[in-house]
Amino acid sequence: MTKKRFFIACAMAALCITGVMAQETDDKVDGQTGATTRKAVTTTAKVGDAPSRLSLGVGGNMVMSRNFYSDNPSRYNLPDTYKDAPSHGHFDIPEVSFSIGYDFGKGWSFGAEIEYEHGGVGTAYEKEEEEGGEWEAETEKGGEVMLEELWIQKSFARWANLRMGQMVVPVGLNNSAHDPMNYFTVYHPEGETTILPATWHQTGVGFWGVHKKFRYEVQFLAGLNADGFSTSTWVNGGTTSPVEFEVATKYGVSLRLDNYSVKGLRLGLSGYYGHTQGNSFPAEENQVQYKGALAVGCLDFTYDAHNWIVRGQADYGYLGDTDQLMLLYNRLNKVSPYHNTARVSSNAYAVGIEAGYDVFSQIARMKKAQQKMYVFGRYEEYNPCADSKTKDKYAYCKVRRIAFGVNYMPIKEIVVKAEYSNRLLRSQYNNEPSLSIGIGFMGWLL
């Protein structure tokens, strides 16, 4: 089957799906962090009175934004020139994902998720700020669609499940709970998705389970590709690949542990370690001596009780051998999709917290109708250029961001969002306020 026919077949199958991914808050301690087909694996779906081994789902979001600042790539180099620039806006469909799961029986199950990003375009042109604002073609992994998950799982017991294939890497709060119902802001939380891949998914082998009030997961994966690292997004681009396979010359390991001992509270600890330099195509012999070791540690929590939802995370990362990044062949070669001569920081961090209260819980009629209206606030700070060599030269990378807004849920599968936000930059730059509205949805047909 040709690639084109394969994608057409996937798209036709996806159009038949009208449900979505289960929320983290519904999964509780039995949930599978980052899995799209939780329902197919953890329960037996019902169609009438007959059990069904098949689960079908869909989810996504649509947004509109008005940004009251310049979008010129030189706005940080010449802040006075662009201080009074006109506003600009855009419509977008950040993601629409279609998921399918099947329980074969005897502990064997299958899960897959196909995601269309920004309308499903495989390549896009972007203004590259780090290269003086020149146009560059960005290659999205997977061509016209993104195959975010495709795995086979063998469940031996509640505490022992082995998964093989393409999986979500549950490092950080966003990657472990990336569905639209699991964050208040119109877009994914900005800090964590700036410095880490989002949604982070790779091919490998994973082991997960649940024991008492703990859920744990460990994954053995292909290492990230240092060619894709950048100044303003740190290691975010490390999963992109312009070739038809995922390079696995170097390897990485991810771990996650969640605790549910307190009712309504989930505490999470996650991390990643792997080597990144030399994990490219073609392999560079002169990079064998450099490892580009990447270590990431994350703490996060979710509290959902007494009509409050509070979420928070703190992420810190270290990247070794950053001086050698600028000497990589693929980054020096101007015809390479990885061409980038800017320095990458050896340290990055992101912290954030958001809290929302359901005001409809105090209105009897709305509460009876099971409608919810969360009024929320969010604060976050992040810096992908936190080391001594980049923090002053790229001072605009240090961002404090505030956001206020509402989330209206007429039914549990749909949320309408409105938000005012402002990026608060260093005093020599202009702040970046914006207004955004969006709608997110997620549900299961089977």
Side-chain angles (χ1 to χ4, degrees):
M1 180 182 289
T2 65
K3 218 185 261 190
K4 183 176 180 181
R5 289 179 178 176
F6 171 75
F7 287 137
I8 291 174
C10 290
M12 293 178 66
L15 291 175
C16 299
I17 301 173
T18 60
V20 106
M21 298 162 277
Q23 301 179 43
E24 181 195 44
T25 53
D26 288 336
D27 293 336
K28 306 302 181 185
V29 70
D30 289 316
Q32 299 180 57
T33 306
T36 61
T37 53
R38 302 177 179 92
K39 184 175 178 180
V41 177
T42 58
T43 65
T44 301
K46 295 283 186 178
V47 180
D49 295 327
S52 174
R53 292 180 173 181
L54 178 69
S55 62
L56 303 173
V58 66
N61 57 344
M62 298 161 283
V63 302
M64 181 190 76
S65 295
R66 192 73 189 179
N67 302 315
F68 301 99
Y69 56 88
S70 172
D71 59 353
N72 192 293
S74 299
R75 66 186 183 274
Y76 300 123
N77 296 327
L78 302 169
D80 291 337
T81 301
Y82 299 100
K83 182 176 182 180
D84 299 316
S87 64
H88 61 280
H90 61 255
F91 290 91
D92 193 11
I93 302 177
E95 57 188 2
V96 177
S97 57
F98 302 93
S99 55
I100 181 170
Y102 189 77
D103 184 353
F104 294 104
K106 296 184 178 180
W108 290 95
S109 58
F110 158 82
E113 180 179 342
I114 300 171
E115 183 172 280
Y116 292 77
E117 294 188 352
H118 309 287
V121 178
T123 58
Y125 280 87
E126 295 183 357
K127 279 282 191 178
E128 194 62 54
E129 296 179 4
E130 295 166 14
E131 300 294 331
E134 66 181 53
W135 287 101
E136 289 193 2
E138 300 290 334
T139 303
E140 298 287 346
K141 184 179 179 181
E144 295 181 356
V145 296
M146 184 80 70
L147 185 60
E148 189 165 280
E149 295 190 64
L150 180 65
W151 46 257
I152 292 289
Q153 178 171 286
K154 171 61 176 176
S155 297
F156 301 95
R158 187 169 181 258
W159 59 269
N161 304 271
L162 183 65
R163 181 174 296 179
M164 299 148 283
Q166 181 118 311
M167 307 169 289
V168 168
V169 182
V171 176
L173 179 59
N174 176 73
N175 287 309
S176 61
H178 59 274
D179 304 332
M181 304 298 183
N182 292 327
Y183 52 90
F184 286 128
T185 48
V186 172
Y187 298 90
H188 285 289
E190 192 170 282
E192 197 168 69
T193 56
T194 295
I195 67 170
L196 297 178
T199 299
W200 190 346
H201 55 95
Q202 289 190 261
T203 304
V205 179
F207 179 86
W208 72 273
V210 175
H211 180 65
K212 295 183 178 179
K213 297 296 183 179
F214 287 90
R215 186 193 182 281
Y216 44 85
E217 185 168 5
V218 59
Q219 298 174 341
F220 178 77
L221 309 159
L224 294 183
N225 183 358
D227 287 341
F229 298 168
S230 72
T231 301
S232 58
T233 60
W234 205 49
V235 302
N236 178 285
T239 59
T240 58
S241 175
V243 293
E244 295 180 337
F245 54 87
E246 186 171 358
V247 179
T249 305
K250 303 288 183 72
Y251 303 100
V253 177
S254 73
L255 304 100
R256 182 169 187 89
L257 179 67
D258 290 289
N259 177 265
Y260 297 81
S261 296
V262 178
K263 185 177 180 180
L265 177 66
R266 180 200 54 79
L267 296 174
L269 173 67
S270 58
Y272 175 89
Y273 180 83
H275 294 171
T276 64
Q277 289 197 29
N279 200 39
S280 59
F281 178 81
E284 301 178 47
E285 294 182 6
N286 63 332
Q287 285 299 316
V288 173
Q289 59 182 311
Y290 301 107
K291 297 179 180 179
L294 173 64
V296 177
C298 308
L299 291 169
D300 60 75
F301 74 92
T302 302
Y303 177 77
D304 184 357
H306 304 98
N307 306 314
W308 282 93
I309 296 180
V310 185
R311 307 181 183 97
Q313 43 72 217
D315 316 307
Y316 184 82
Y318 169 79
L319 176 65
D321 297 322
T322 53
D323 289 339
Q324 299 301 317
L325 275 176
M326 294 185 294
L327 304 178
L328 297 180
Y329 171 77
N330 283 339
R331 295 173 71 87
L332 291 174
N333 189 342
K334 290 187 177 181
V335 299
S336 166
Y338 294 119
H339 176 62
N340 192 330
T341 58
R343 179 179 288 276
V344 177
S345 174
S346 60
N347 301 99
Y349 69 86
V351 295
I353 188 168
E354 63 182 21
Y357 184 75
D358 177 19
V359 296
F360 280 2
S361 65
Q362 305 303 310
I363 304 174
R365 180 170 60 88
M366 295 299 186
K367 186 176 182 179
K368 184 178 180 180
Q370 297 185 335
Q371 297 188 30
K372 296 184 178 183
M373 172 76 82
Y374 286 96
V375 177
F376 78 89
R378 178 175 179 84
Y379 174 83
E380 59 187 326
E381 180 177 322
Y382 61 93
N383 189 355
C385 304
D387 70 6
S388 59
K389 295 181 179 179
T390 58
K391 67 178 182 179
D392 293 326
K393 184 177 181 180
Y394 303 102
Y396 58 84
C397 287
K398 182 177 181 180
V399 176
R400 291 177 295 121
R401 183 177 183 271
I402 57 172
F404 304 94
V406 295
N407 279 200
Y408 169 54
M409 301 175 67
I411 58 177
K412 67 178 182 178
E413 294 88 358
I414 292 177
V415 58
V416 180
K417 302 182 179 185
E419 169 195 331
Y420 167 82
S421 68
N422 197 354
R423 294 194 193 104
L424 307 175
L425 306 181
R426 296 261 181 106
S427 59
Q428 64 266 41
Y429 306 110
N430 303 309
N431 292 335
E432 298 181 346
S434 65
L435 287 171
S436 301
I437 60 174
I439 183 168
F441 57 97
M442 50 190 298
W444 288 98
L445 172 63
L446 295 175

